[in-house]
């Protein structure tokens, strides 16, 4: 839901899924992102007229420890901007925490898988 909400620039849904203390480490980016920076990046993606063409998770593993779940995945997504397509792939480790009865995603780490 977080991935799809980001690509759709669904700011309301992202605010519900990402708590204020979110920290994201994205593939190929030196700086870590806060929740506000993640929301801004989704807006910038949409403002550029970019769109998600496809998204796949060919391998996923999940570990649950009470109110914490860790999701490991291989990902691939393709986006289109101004008629040009770009494919990105790699690995992701995402943390989900159950807070006030619902699951939120306070952090992730993505890499190229190489």
């Amino acid at each position: 839901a977080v991935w799809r909400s980001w690509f759709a620039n669904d700011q309301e849904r992202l605010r519900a899924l990402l708590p204020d203390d979110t920290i994201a480490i994205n593939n190929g980016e030196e700086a870590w992102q806060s929740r506000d920076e993640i929301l801004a990046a989704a807006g910038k993606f949409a403002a550029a007229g970019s769109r998600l063409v496809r998204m796949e998770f060919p391998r996923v593993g999940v570990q649950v420890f009470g109110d914490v779940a860790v999701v490991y995945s291989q990902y691939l997504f393709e986006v289109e901007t101004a008629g040009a397509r770009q494919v990105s792939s790699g690995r992701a480790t995402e943390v989900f925490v159950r807070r006030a009865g619902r699951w939120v995603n306070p952090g992730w780490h993505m890499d190229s898988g190489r």
Side-chain angles (χ1 to χ4, degrees), residues 63-78:
Q63 294 177 307
V64 179
F65 307 97
D67 289 335
V68 175
V70 181
V71 178
Y72 307 92
S73 63
Q74 291 178 328
Y75 67 86
L76 178 143
F77 61 83
E78 183 176 4

Side-chain angles (χ1 to χ4, degrees), residues 3 25-28 56-60 71-77 88-94 108-114:
W3 291 66
I25 302 173
N26 293 312
N27 185 9
E56 301 172 7
F57 295 92
R59 184 173 180 192
V60 176
V71 178
Y72 307 92
S73 63
Q74 291 178 328
Y75 67 86
L76 178 143
F77 61 83
S88 297
S89 64
R91 299 179 298 191
T93 303
E94 300 177 81
W108 60 81
H109 179 257
M110 298 167 59
D111 68 32
S112 68
R114 295 179 189 97

Side-chain angles (χ1 to χ4, degrees), residues 20-65:
D20 290 339
D21 57 350
T22 298
I23 297 173
I25 302 173
N26 293 312
N27 185 9
E29 295 181 13
E30 188 70 27
W32 298 1
Q33 287 186 325
S34 67
R35 178 184 186 226
D36 289 343
E37 291 166 325
I38 295 163
L39 294 169
K44 184 176 177 182
F45 177 81
S50 301
R51 69 179 185 94
L52 177 66
V53 175
R54 71 180 162 129
M55 182 168 47
E56 301 172 7
F57 295 92
R59 184 173 180 192
V60 176
V62 179
Q63 294 177 307
V64 179
F65 307 97

Side-chain angles (χ1 to χ4, degrees), residues 1 5-6 8-18 35 39 42 102:
S5 297
W6 189 92
N9 190 31
D10 185 341
Q11 297 283 316
E12 182 178 340
R13 184 79 173 128
L14 284 170
R15 281 186 182 87
L17 293 168
L18 303 176
R35 178 184 186 226
L39 294 169
R102 62 185 193 40

